[in-house]
């Protein structure tokens, strides 16, 4: 795989991810799940890692978290087709429990090893704005531990001038049992996506419909 500045086509990158052994996570996953979407794309969304359904489908954000994300994008007036969607970690980290595979959070070694692929994707996609969905994505992009509660919603400027916005992960919204808290978190996610889209393309006004 060439260095990030010699950006390969995204299809080649997908093939390369299937051969990745940079950390042990490939052993328990069905396949690697690289990002998908427009290239170039002004807006790039980075999640944590594929879940059970993404691992089987080979596509990011197609399971329950993906449904929340799709709804939030729609409510923010953002067409997913013009966004590049990916994850900080390309293989599903899981623990078998009977017939189920339980999600396990990637550790910092796995996140940092997988940054190699995110760098390649960024080189291909050339986003103006990256949205880190949750702490794992933010850790990957910034290369340091991040408190989403403290650092979310501000626009950070990365060394190459790309803007970064940190916001809630859709799975966090899903996990909230208290309906008003869930609604408030969802509205924050929608607002962040709208704000990031407006920053990626200032001609496009943030058109957030805060409807759950
Ligand atoms: N959670 C993520 O972070 N990414 C996915 O693709 C699915 C669930």
């Amino acid at each position: 795989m060439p260095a990030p500045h010699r950006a390969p086509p995204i299809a080649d990158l997908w093939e390369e991810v299937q051969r990745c052994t940079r950390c042990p996570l490939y052993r328990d996953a069905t396949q690697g799940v690289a990002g998908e979407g427009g290239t170039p794309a002004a807006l790039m969304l980075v999640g944590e890692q594929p879940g059970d359904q993404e691992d089987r489908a080979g596509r990011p954000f197609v399971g329950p978290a993906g449904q929340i994300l799709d709804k939030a994008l729609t409510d923010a007036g953002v067409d997913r087709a013009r966004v590049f969607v990916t994850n900080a970690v390309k293989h599903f980290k899981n623990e078998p429990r009977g017939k189920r595979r339980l999600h396990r959070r990637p550790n910092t070694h796995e996140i940092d090893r997988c940054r190699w692929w995110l760098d390649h994707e960024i080189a291909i996609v050339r986003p103006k704005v990256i949205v880190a969905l949750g702490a794992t994505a933010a850790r990957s992009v910034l290369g340091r531990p991040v408190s989403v509660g403290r650092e979310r919603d501000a626009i950070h400027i990365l060394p190459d001038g790309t803007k970064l916005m940190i916001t809630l992960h859709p799975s966090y919204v899903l996990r909230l049992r208290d309906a008003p808290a869930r609604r408030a978190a969802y509205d924050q996610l929608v607002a962040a996506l709208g704000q990031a889209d407006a920053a990626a393309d200032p001609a496009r006004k943030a058109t957030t419909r805060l409807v759950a």
Side-chain angles (χ1 to χ4, degrees):
M1 176 59 57
H5 59 273
R6 291 167 49 209
I10 199 77
D12 289 1
L13 188 109
W14 195 89
E15 291 293 330
E16 293 289 338
V17 167
Q18 304 317 313
R19 288 190 281 275
C20 182
T21 56
R22 292 177 57 80
C23 82
L25 293 187
Y26 71 94
R27 294 189 193 136
D28 296 326
T30 308
Q31 58 193 316
V33 180
E36 65 174 25
T39 54
L43 188 58
M44 181 178 206
L45 308 185
V46 183
E48 181 192 80
Q49 62 166 341
D52 182 66
Q53 293 193 31
E54 289 79 12
D55 169 79
R56 295 176 204 277
R59 297 182 54 210
F61 282 105
V62 294
Q67 283 164 24
I68 295 279
L69 180 63
D70 284 349
K71 182 165 162 44
L73 284 168
T74 302
D75 286 342
V78 182
D79 179 2
R80 179 165 168 167
R82 62 179 174 77
V83 175
F84 191 87
V85 180
T86 192
N87 282 299
V89 170
K90 307 301 192 228
H91 286 102
F92 177 36
K93 182 171 181 178
N94 65 88
E95 183 180 309
R97 190 70 62 81
K99 286 191 180 149
R100 298 176 62 215
R101 296 183 301 167
L102 300 186
H103 165 276
R104 288 179 61 212
R105 234 180 165 185
N107 62 37
T108 51
H109 172 73
E110 292 149 356
I111 297 167
D112 293 346
R113 291 293 287 165
C114 218
R115 173 67 207 242
W116 159 268
W117 295 113
L118 187 62
D119 281 340
H120 281 286
E121 288 175 322
I122 291 170
I124 295 167
V125 175
R126 286 180 280 120
K128 291 196 168 59
V129 178
I130 297 173
V131 178
L133 300 165
T136 297
R139 151 92 219 184
S140 174
V141 176
L142 289 175
R144 63 167 171 82
V146 171
S147 157
V148 175
R150 272 202 298 277
E151 300 193 48
R152 74 163 186 243
D153 298 339
I155 302 264
H156 303 246
I157 309 291
L158 299 175
D160 69 354
T162 308
K163 293 173 180 151
L164 168 71
M165 181 179 273
I166 299 166
T167 188
L168 304 173
H169 191 287
S171 297
Y172 170 81
V173 178
L174 260 183
R175 281 196 304 270
L176 291 171
R177 288 283 146 245
D178 175 64
R182 185 173 173 152
R183 168 64 190 246
Y186 176 79
D187 287 350
Q188 279 169 25
L189 176 62
V190 172
L193 292 171
Q195 204 184 328
D197 191 43
D201 181 358
R204 202 180 286 278
K205 285 226 172 65
T207 52
T208 51
R209 278 195 299 126
L210 299 182
V211 183

